[in-house]
Amino acid sequence: MPVDVKYSTKATATGGRDGTTRSEDGKVDLKLSTPKELGGAGGEGANPEQLFAAGYSACFIGALKAAGMQLKLKVPAETRVTATVGIGPRSEGGYGITAELAVDIPGIERADAEKLVELAHQICPYSNATRNNVDVGIAIV
């Protein structure tokens, strides 16, 4: 399915999970560390799963706002999305990731929140990228 790209960016990693990553404009410039749970030292650096969780949660709020415009529902500024990203071995071999989104839309009726979340999940680029490939659970909290 073609995408009409409106923005693109680059980041370069060196050293893998115990190296560094930097965006081309320098706004992201991080040391990376492998979590102890994956056999690493733990270290002070971030890991790819944390970066994915941060991106997915922020992007999903943007999708909620877009859904709100379509549904004529105001998404409050206090809306919070917490993404939990897991990684582990797959039964088929290799590794896979999972994602859980906890969506808190204060002051919105439950039925409206469900409509917003359902439409946002269709709009969000992270949801579209993971659909039918990553187990994504969504809960309204």
Side-chain angles (χ1 to χ4, degrees):
M1 183 175 289
V3 174
D4 180 15
V5 175
K6 301 296 184 193
Y7 169 79
S8 66
T9 187
K10 293 180 186 176
T12 302
T14 58
R17 286 182 165 271
D18 290 305
T20 61
T21 188
R22 185 176 191 282
S23 62
E24 67 182 339
D25 62 6
K27 290 180 181 179
V28 174
D29 191 356
L30 299 170
K31 179 173 175 26
L32 302 172
S33 299
T34 301
K36 289 181 181 180
E37 297 84 351
L38 295 177
E44 304 239 347
N47 63 63
E49 294 71 37
Q50 290 170 318
L51 300 174
F52 187 81
Y56 201 167
S57 59
C59 192
F60 201 82
I61 290 175
L64 285 167
K65 291 178 181 179
M69 290 174 53
Q70 288 184 31
L71 297 172
K72 300 189 183 345
L73 293 168
K74 174 119 173 72
V75 175
E78 302 79 28
T79 296
R80 296 169 42 115
V81 174
T82 301
T84 302
V85 173
I87 182 172
R90 295 174 351 126
S91 59
E92 302 87 353
Y95 285 80
I97 61 172
T98 61
E100 299 286 332
L101 302 179
V103 182
D104 181 15
I105 311 172
I108 297 285
E109 296 290 331
R110 178 80 184 191
D112 287 338
E114 289 172 357
K115 289 177 193 170
L116 282 167
V117 167
E118 183 178 323
L119 183 54
H121 192 46
Q122 297 305 310
I123 293 171
C124 180
Y126 279 72
S127 292
N128 288 327
T130 58
R131 188 167 286 110
N132 300 321
N133 188 40
V134 173
D135 289 334
V136 176
I138 303 176
I140 299 170
V141 296

